[in-house]
Amino acid sequence: MSRIPRRLLVTGGAGFIGSHFVRRMLRRHRGIEVTVLDKLTYAGNLANLADVAERPGYRFVRGDVADPRAVERVVARADAIVNFAAESHVDRSIDAPDEFIQTDIHGTFVLLEAARRHGTARFLQISTDEVYGNLATGRASEADQLRPSSPYAASKAGADMLVGAYQATYGVPSVITRSTNNFGPNQYTEKVIPLFITNALEGQRLPVYGDGRQSREWLFVTDHCEALELVLTRGEPGETYNVGSGFELTNLELAERILELTGRPSSLVEHVEDRPAHDRRYAVDSSRLRALGWEAEHRFEAALAETVAWYRANVDWWRPLRSGEYLASYRRQALRRARRAPTRARQ
């Protein structure tokens, strides 16, 4: 596919990265039709798409990617599919792995089956660097063995394998991207950067797992979306493309930089029990993507400052998210840690 598809289906398009991608495509390409299929679970938010809701060519359908009937209706009228739909938080996958298997693996299967039946011209699977597992040194390449540690990473690895199998067996023209950690405006507040920012803005503690030396490669969301558009149109069917900025930071360093930007004291950092099977480091080799002409444009410091400014200016967007489902999950995690602590002390 060497051009932008006229009819694009974006699953999970009301989520963080998906909504940024939808806005990009509608603003940049005249005449494009973008259908968003989203279940609107806790992390899906139509407010993320409010500024494009009245644009010509935009259509929203509420539905589950694991529901064949809902998927059939939208795939039948799509030239290409970009699959963002996923349960995507490691802590949640530890608490409820069945939900991740259902959405991330079975949902991808349902989409692929529909794409096969309708002869969809391109299937873009949005994956994660977490499928490579812990990396002590160097950078993971697309040819490296997958070694997922968490149920979340395993569900994404399983989906990737399905996409590759449908490409090889049925000829579904597919590409996969594996991105490093994303951040930016309107990211759900359970993820580490918005969690740290909103906690800091409210004067609350920033929970840092273990010693805080876990290292991640950080990518601004608009740079990721630029890469996705490039892979959608110029990626080679059957290939996988890593997407990374090359900029690494430990979780403790991240907390300190956010406290500086919000004017809060370093005493707000709170070391908490590490989560099970917590990988120490992720990093990817993005040379295959760069060969297509992509480079991350945003420097981390400037992008982080922009992100902090957005959360400071949009309290009405994020404060309601810090109750209900989010707060219940946050409390469950704290209770689980508290229950395990005495057991370790007796050993």
Side-chain angles (χ1 to χ4, degrees):
M1 177 175 287
S2 58
R3 59 183 178 82
I4 295 294
R6 187 176 68 84
R7 300 177 303 172
L8 184 63
L9 171 62
V10 180
T11 65
F16 168 49
I17 306 173
S19 63
H20 279 272
F21 181 75
V22 168
R23 285 197 296 274
R24 175 185 177 88
M25 300 303 286
L26 286 169
R27 289 171 177 172
R28 286 173 54 86
H29 303 289
R30 182 175 299 176
I32 193 172
E33 297 177 12
V34 178
T35 297
V36 170
L37 177 70
D38 201 297
K39 191 178 178 180
L40 293 184
T41 56
Y42 72 96
N45 189 344
L46 281 180
N48 293 340
L49 294 168
D51 56 340
V52 297
E54 303 302 322
R55 278 184 174 261
Y58 169 79
R59 182 170 76 114
F60 175 78
V61 176
R62 184 168 186 172
D64 187 349
V65 290
D67 178 359
R69 289 177 296 181
V71 166
E72 181 70 20
R73 290 193 295 268
V74 291
V75 171
R77 55 184 292 176
D79 301 319
I81 300 169
V82 183
N83 182 28
F84 291 95
E87 298 288 344
S88 64
H89 193 248
V90 173
D91 288 354
R92 287 180 181 272
S93 79
I94 295 170
D95 284 341
D98 54 327
E99 297 176 10
F100 287 69
I101 301 303
Q102 178 68 10
T103 299
D104 300 2
I105 296 180
H106 185 68
T108 300
F109 160 73
V110 171
L111 285 168
L112 287 166
E113 275 289 287
R116 177 169 72 92
R117 287 194 301 272
H118 291 283
T120 304
R122 178 60 62 96
F123 189 103
L124 172 54
Q125 173 73 3
I126 311 303
S127 189
T128 171
D129 61 350
E130 295 195 32
V131 300
Y132 296 119
N134 186 61
L135 197 66
T137 60
R139 295 185 175 277
S141 77
E142 294 88 348
D144 285 354
Q145 182 177 349
L146 305 188
R147 300 178 182 274
S149 299
S150 68
Y152 162 63
S155 70
K156 294 300 289 183
D160 288 2
M161 300 296 281
L162 268 178
V163 171
Y166 269 69
Q167 164 78 36
T169 305
Y170 303 114
V172 175
S174 308
V175 283
I176 299 169
T177 57
R178 293 178 180 147
S179 172
T180 58
N181 283 33
N182 276 221
F183 71 101
N186 67 275
Q187 187 175 23
Y188 191 72
T189 52
E190 71 181 355
K191 297 302 178 73
V192 63
I193 284 185
L195 173 64
F196 283 2
I197 292 173
T198 54
N199 274 18
L201 291 175
E202 292 189 330
Q204 298 182 22
R205 294 190 179 277
L206 279 58
V208 174
Y209 281 133
D211 62 8
R213 301 296 178 184
Q214 305 89 354
S215 179
R216 300 293 183 261
E217 186 176 343
W218 289 99
L219 178 68
F220 195 52
V221 64
T222 56
D223 287 333
H224 185 192
C225 291
E226 180 182 357
L228 295 178
E229 181 180 341
L230 182 63
V231 172
L232 178 65
T233 56
R234 295 180 55 192
E236 186 69 23
E239 290 287 2
T240 298
Y241 296 85
N242 289 335
V243 190
S245 65
F247 180 83
E248 295 183 52
L249 202 67
T250 68
N251 291 344
L252 188 57
E253 291 170 331
L254 176 64
E256 291 168 347
R257 296 194 186 195
I258 288 173
L259 289 171
E260 290 175 5
L261 287 168
T262 55
R264 297 295 187 176
S266 59
S267 59
L268 286 181
V269 170
E270 179 183 26
H271 290 269
V272 299
E273 180 191 357
D274 208 349
R275 70 185 178 207
H278 195 178
D279 292 329
R280 294 292 284 180
R281 178 176 177 265
Y282 303 130
V284 299
D285 177 357
S286 303
S287 57
R288 179 179 292 175
L289 177 62
R290 289 190 170 91
L292 295 181
W294 177 86
E295 290 285 345
E297 295 182 1
H298 292 82
R299 294 179 61 85
F300 177 81
E301 295 293 353
L304 183 62
E306 179 181 333
T307 303
V308 169
W310 187 89
Y311 281 93
R312 194 189 297 274
N314 289 274
V315 175
D316 290 343
W317 182 91
W318 56 261
R319 185 158 284 159
L321 303 181
R322 293 167 63 86
S323 60
E325 173 66 19
Y326 164 80
L327 187 58
S329 174
Y330 195 75
R331 287 172 174 167
R332 283 197 302 270
Q333 293 169 33
L335 180 61
R336 189 174 65 246
R337 288 194 297 267
R339 285 173 174 170
R340 284 201 297 257
T343 301
R344 288 202 316 274
R346 291 193 297 267
Q347 292 174 346

